């Protein structure tokens, strides 16, 4: 049983695998699908009688349709049983989804509270400490106290200072050195704990008596893809899981704890990353752990993924204080299966997370809104021209970011020393970040503080003492220079940082770049507050990077509480998406999936690819050798166990852990399908009770001496004709969540082939990059 989602699959994941390009010591980081080639071991396989191999050998998949039938059988059993006991059990079963959603939201908020408070305190240690309580952040230490009036090289550029907060040094150079030292220390800690989650995905073991290799031929040692489970935002992996694939160990308690601790230190370094993406991963881990308590989720991959979709909403809810935006984010950006009941449970989960987080009050403001603003100045029709410019700039930023980050990941992270020593890469990026950001007061602090400072309205009397407002009140071009420097620095540093082996997200850096550019543009539009353009620019830049639309517009509203500026944000977001799509078809999470090599099939984008092809389903038929290996002619007398053992070994030699055997009669007419997991269970576990020469019955009519595997056979596999359009197969896989589909010949109905999900995904990847 998988320890990731509880799927009952005795042979965990390896599929039909072409291995991504590796170095001599096996690349620890999955490379682009474009770089695939056959390893020496796989070339040796090709010289034998072993059939073809497909990509994604380290992943297995679930069958949504079969899980639906399994859940229906469970419900019928509960509701047809008489008595009060089963009536109560049935009622509890119906309420379990709502109970789980509420618990997930509550626990996610508790974890977010701890991360927020710890990160605020740790990041401020780069500047100084609170003399009354070193564990307090600068804001908490100085809350309600008289502001510090003394001005020197450093305090003139830091807000919220008081006598209780002691700077390490008031001189610029020593403060700079201490800042860099603490950032490097935090980078080491963040990367060090992330390495604790290094894990190889399961892969197929060679059969002990494989016929694919002679006695004097060295057999390849199966090694799965190496992943750092807590690295990155986790969103590409979650999208892969929710689409029906399995990544064992990605959502366990260890990853949750490491992700939370690593995010605290990673954000505290000041690198161009945020904790909002990791919050989505953390909430999904909480969802998996909580839902695993309930048997109906623990033993059903489809039901589990429904709860994980709801859990994702609470992650963004606590990240931005945006409960509605969190629900829409899960629907628009992450989930592939989102029925109405999932929407309602995501709503409850996100609501509970927001309520609990507001009560815990990690920011000390008593408000859920993270960057509350009250500009009070309405925009005029001519300002739409500025909003359009912000949208265009955001689209260019996002499109360039996606292209350049992909190139950077392939080039820089292709060096052996970077692959071998990910901590070194982190330290180099931390050093470059601190050296570039500390001299600029606008981007010296962490990303969320940068956004908060740039959104400020200098017309508000309480905000006029802020450093930004003081600079805008002065005459001269120094402040404009800091803004230009900040935009360029954020673009470069975000490109090289995204993908580093620490918990990290790209949402806050994109908001930073957009807010800086919007504030810069606002220096020449004096009729309204430049903070308004910072707000709209932040949304535009994030739209260009992530390609979010509806959910982002709602998030920007919930983030600031500014209802009046929803329309400008919508204009800029839509233009940014159009512009970014024209430059780069893939958003940041799609690029990450390409770099990491995770399988994913999005119906909308995949359909656009298929519609450009003049092909049909017979393009997906496996080679004849493969079909010979996976086809079993089942006579009326039963199948010899030796025949099935041979077929089983052939599947193992090819790594087809996600495949199975097509059962036909003497006329090659379909009789059923036996998945490899069930085949291994039947021959390995059940077969121990029977002699080696026992007949195997795959259909009804088994005697006491026969090994009966009929209960493991799918007698009604879905089929499609070979001449059907490719769009038919894509719709069936995407909307029904199939694991396999049988291809029949037109007219005769004879079996021509079988398509597994990995074959379809690999085919889509191939034609996409042709």
């Amino acid at each position: 049983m998988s320890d990731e989602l509880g799927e009952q699959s005795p042979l965990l994941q390896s599929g039909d695998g072409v291995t991504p390009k590796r170095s001599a010591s096996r690349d620890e980081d999955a490379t682009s699908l474009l770089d695939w080639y056959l390893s020496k071991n796989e070339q040796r396989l090709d010289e034998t009688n072993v059939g073809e191999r497909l990509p994604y050998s380290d992943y297995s998949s679930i069958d949504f349709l079969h899980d639906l039938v399994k859940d229906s059988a469970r419900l019928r059993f509960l509701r047809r049983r008489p008595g009060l006991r089963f009536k109560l059990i049935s009622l509890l079963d119906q309420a379990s989804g709502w109970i789980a959603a509420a618990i997930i939201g509550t626990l996610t908020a508790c974890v977010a509270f701890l991360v927020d408070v710890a990160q605020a305190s740790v990041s401020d240690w780069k500047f100084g400490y609170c003399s009354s309580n070193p564990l307090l952040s600068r804001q908490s230490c100085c809350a309600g106290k008289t502001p510090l009036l003394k001005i020197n090289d450093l305090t003139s550029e830091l807000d919220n200072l008081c006598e209780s907060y002691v700077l390490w040094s008031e001189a610029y150079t020593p403060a700079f050195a201490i800042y860099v030292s603490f950032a490097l220390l935090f980078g080491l800690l963040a990367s060090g704990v992330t390495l604790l989650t290094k894990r190889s995905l399961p892969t197929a073991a060679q059969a002990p008596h494989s016929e694919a290799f002679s006695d004097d031929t060295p057999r390849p040692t199966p090694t799965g893809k190496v992943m750092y489970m807590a690295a990155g935002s986790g969103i590409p992996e979650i999208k892969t899981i929710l689409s029906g694939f399995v990544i064992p160990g990605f959502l366990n308690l260890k990853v949750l704890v490491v992700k939370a601790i690593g995010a605290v230190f990673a954000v505290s370094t000041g690198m161009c990353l945020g904790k909002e993406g990791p919050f989505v991963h953390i909430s999904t881990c909480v969802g998996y752990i909580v839902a695993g308590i309930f048997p109906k989720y623990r033993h059903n991959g489809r039901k589990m993924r429904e709860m994980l979709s709801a859990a994702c909403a609470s992650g963004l809810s606590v990240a931005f204080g945006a409960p509605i935006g969190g629900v829409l984010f899960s629907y628009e950006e992450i989930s592939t299966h989102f029925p109405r009941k999932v929407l309602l449970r995501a709503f409850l989960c996100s609501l509970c997370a927001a309520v609990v987080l507001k009560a815990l009050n990690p920011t000390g403001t008593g408000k859920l809104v993270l960057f509350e603003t009250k500009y009070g100045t309405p925009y005029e029709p001519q300002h739409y021209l500025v909003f359009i410019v912000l949208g265009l700039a955001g689209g260019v930023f996002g499109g360039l970011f996606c292209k350049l980050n992909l190139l950077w990941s392939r080039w820089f992270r292709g060096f052996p020393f970077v692959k071998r020593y990910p901590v070194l890469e982190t330290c180099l990026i931390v050093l470059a970040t601190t050296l570039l950001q500390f001299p600029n007061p606008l981007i010296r602090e962490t990303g969320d503080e940068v956004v908060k400072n740039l959104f400020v309205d200098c017309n508000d009397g309480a905000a006029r003492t802020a450093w930004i407002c003081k600079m805008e009140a002065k005459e001269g071009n120094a402040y404009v220079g800091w803004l230009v420097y900040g935009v360029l620095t954020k673009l470069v540093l975000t490109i090289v940082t995204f993908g580093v082996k620490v918990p990290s997200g790209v949402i806050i850096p994109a908001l930073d770049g957009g807010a800086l550019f919007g504030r810069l543009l606002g220096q020449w539009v004096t009729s309204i507050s430049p903070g308004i353009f910072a707000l709209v620019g932040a949304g535009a830049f994030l739209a260009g990077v992530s390609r979010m639309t509806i959910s982002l517009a709602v998030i920007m509203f919930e983030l600031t509480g500014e209802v009046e500026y929803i329309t400008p944000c919508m204009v800029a977001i839509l233009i940014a998406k159009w512009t970014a799509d024209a430059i780069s078809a893939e958003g940041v999470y799609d690029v990450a999936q390409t770099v990491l090599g995770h399988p994913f099939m999005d119906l909308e984008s995949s359909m656009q690819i298929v519609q450009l092809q003049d092909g049909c389903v017979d393009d997906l038929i496996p080679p004849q050798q493969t079909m010979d290996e996976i086809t079993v002619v089942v006579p009326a007398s039963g199948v010899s166990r030796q025949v099935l053992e041979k077929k089983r070994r052939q599947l193992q030699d090819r790594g087809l852990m996600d495949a199975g055997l097509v059962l036909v009669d003497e006329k090659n007419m379909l009789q059923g399908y036996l998945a490899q997991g069930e085949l291994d269970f039947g021959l390995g576990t059940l077969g121990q009770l029977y002699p080696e020469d026992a007949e195997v019955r795959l259909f009804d009519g088994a005697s006491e001496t026969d090994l009966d595997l009929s209960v493991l056979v799918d007698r009604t596999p879905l089929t499609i004709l070979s001449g059907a359009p490719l769009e038919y197969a894509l719709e069936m896989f995407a909307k029904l969540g199939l694991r396999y589909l049988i291809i029949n010949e037109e007219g005769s109905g004879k079996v021509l082939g079988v398509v597994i999900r990995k074959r379809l995904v690999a085919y889509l990847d191939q034609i996409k990059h042709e």
Side-chain angles (χ1 to χ4, degrees), residues 100 110-111 257 433 454 551 715 760:
C110 294
V111 176
V257 174
T433 300
L454 291 168
S551 59
R715 296 298 304 273
L760 180 58

Side-chain angles (χ1 to χ4, degrees), residues 110-439:
C110 294
V111 176
F113 168 77
L114 295 175
V115 173
D116 284 339
V117 172
Q119 180 265 314
S121 299
V122 172
S123 61
D124 282 339
W125 289 346
K126 301 195 301 294
F127 301 100
Y129 65 95
C130 183
S131 58
S132 59
N133 185 353
L135 297 180
L136 292 179
S137 65
R138 186 170 74 240
Q139 180 179 356
S140 300
C141 183
C142 296
K145 297 180 181 179
T146 304
L148 186 66
L149 299 178
K150 182 180 178 181
I151 302 297
N152 55 49
D153 290 344
L154 190 63
T155 57
S156 61
E157 298 157 358
L158 291 177
D159 300 322
N160 300 323
L161 286 178
C162 61
E163 294 292 345
S164 298
Y165 189 80
V166 181
L167 297 174
W168 298 115
S169 176
E170 296 183 359
Y172 185 86
T173 302
F176 192 1
I178 295 173
Y179 178 95
V180 173
S181 300
F182 268 103
L184 287 172
L185 174 62
F186 297 156
L188 284 171
L189 292 174
S191 187
V193 297
T194 302
L195 296 187
L196 297 176
T197 59
K198 179 181 178 181
R199 176 170 178 169
S200 296
L201 298 186
T203 187
Q206 292 295 326
H209 304 292
S210 174
E211 298 180 1
F213 301 93
S214 61
D215 295 337
D216 57 350
T217 302
R219 300 179 184 182
T221 301
T223 54
K225 178 194 295 184
V226 175
M227 290 180 58
Y228 297 92
M229 299 295 180
S233 68
I235 292 178
E237 290 84 357
I238 294 171
K239 292 179 68 173
T240 296
I241 291 172
L242 294 184
S243 69
F245 289 93
V246 177
I247 304 180
F250 186 74
L251 300 176
N252 60 28
L253 180 61
K254 177 182 177 180
V255 174
L256 188 157
V257 174
V258 171
K259 193 86 173 188
I261 296 174
V264 169
F265 290 107
V267 175
S268 298
T269 62
M271 284 191 292
C272 290
L273 48 82
K275 58 182 182 292
E276 288 69 27
F279 271 159
V280 177
H281 186 185
I282 289 172
S283 66
T284 311
C285 290
V286 173
Y288 167 67
I289 295 170
V290 173
I293 300 174
F294 300 87
K296 79 172 184 177
Y297 295 109
R298 183 170 64 250
H299 299 304
N300 192 295
R302 177 193 178 105
K303 300 292 293 181
M304 174 62 82
R305 281 161 177 78
E306 290 179 356
M307 190 53 63
L308 295 183
S309 294
C312 290
S314 65
L316 210 69
S317 174
V318 298
F320 286 123
I324 301 177
V327 176
L328 294 176
F329 176 80
S330 178
Y331 170 74
E332 180 182 10
E333 190 64 27
I334 295 185
S335 301
T336 54
H337 177 68
F338 206 83
R340 185 171 179 268
K341 63 179 178 180
V342 175
L343 175 67
L344 296 177
R345 286 171 183 168
F347 187 84
L348 174 63
C349 187
S350 186
L351 172 64
C352 291
V355 169
V356 174
L357 188 68
K358 185 178 185 300
L360 293 174
N361 191 21
T363 61
T365 62
K367 298 178 180 179
L368 191 61
V369 178
L370 194 59
F371 306 132
E372 184 177 19
T373 58
K374 294 180 180 179
Y375 295 116
T377 54
Y379 58 90
E380 301 295 334
Q382 62 269 21
H383 292 139
Y384 278 108
L385 295 176
V386 185
F387 301 146
I388 291 173
V389 172
L390 289 171
L392 291 172
V396 172
F397 175 92
L400 289 177
F401 169 81
C402 293
K403 280 186 171 293
L404 295 177
N405 179 256
L406 180 59
L407 293 175
W408 172 265
S409 298
R410 289 176 176 172
W411 175 71
F412 182 73
R413 296 189 178 108
F415 291 116
F417 77 94
V418 176
K419 301 174 185 177
R420 197 173 296 115
Y421 307 109
V423 176
L424 176 61
E425 179 193 6
T426 302
C427 292
L428 291 175
I429 293 177
V430 170
L431 183 61
T433 300
T434 53
L435 294 178
L436 290 173
Q437 289 192 164
F438 188 87

Side-chain angles (χ1 to χ4, degrees), residues 602-624:
D602 176 68
L603 179 59
E604 181 179 355
S605 60
S606 299
M607 190 63 72
Q608 293 175 356
I609 297 172
V610 169
Q611 288 171 345
L612 298 177
Q613 302 296 313
D614 185 19
C616 51
V617 173
D618 58 10
D619 295 335
L620 303 174
I621 297 176
Q624 186 59 46

